Amino acid sequence: MLLVLFAYCSVGWRGLDITAGFTYETGSLLMGLVDLGLAPRISGPLVMMATTLLGMGFVVHGIVVSPPPDTAASAAAVSFLMGGVARLQQSFAYLEEFRQAAKRAQ
C-alpha cells in the first residue's frame, strides 16, 4: 500500500514503477496458476524468482542511470527492493517444500 502511495506522490519514475510492478505480478500470476493446478508446481517459484530478480534489476538500473527525482521515488525504489527480497525468500521456501515433497515421494 505504501509503495502505491510513494509512486503516486512522486513526480517521476512512474514508468519504471509500472514496469517493475508488472514484472513482479507476472511471477505472482504463475504462482496463482500453480495453486489452481494449471501449471507445473516447480515452475511457480522459479518464474517468481526470475521475475523478481528482473524487476529488482530494473529498479537498480534506474537508480544508476537516472537517480530518483524526489524522496517519494527513492522510497518507492527502497520499497520495491525490500519487497523483492521478501518475494525471493518466499520463493525459496516454496522450492524447499517442493524438494521435501519430492523426497517423501521417493
Side-chain angles (χ1 to χ4, degrees), residues 12-89:
W13 266 33
R14 291 208 171 109
L16 177 63
D17 292 339
I18 291 169
T19 301
F22 181 78
T23 304
Y24 277 14
E25 288 306 314
T26 55
S28 298
L29 171 65
L30 192 60
M31 285 298 291
L33 294 175
V34 167
D35 290 342
L36 293 172
L38 299 174
R41 188 161 184 222
I42 189 68
S43 66
L46 292 177
V47 171
M48 190 164 167
M49 286 190 295
T51 58
T52 299
L53 290 171
L54 182 62
M56 292 173 77
F58 288 151
V59 173
V60 170
H61 181 265
I63 291 169
V64 171
V65 173
S66 175
D70 55 22
T71 305
S74 297
V78 169
S79 297
F80 264 114
L81 296 175
M82 289 173 49
V85 169
R87 287 170 58 93
L88 289 172
Q89 288 175 337

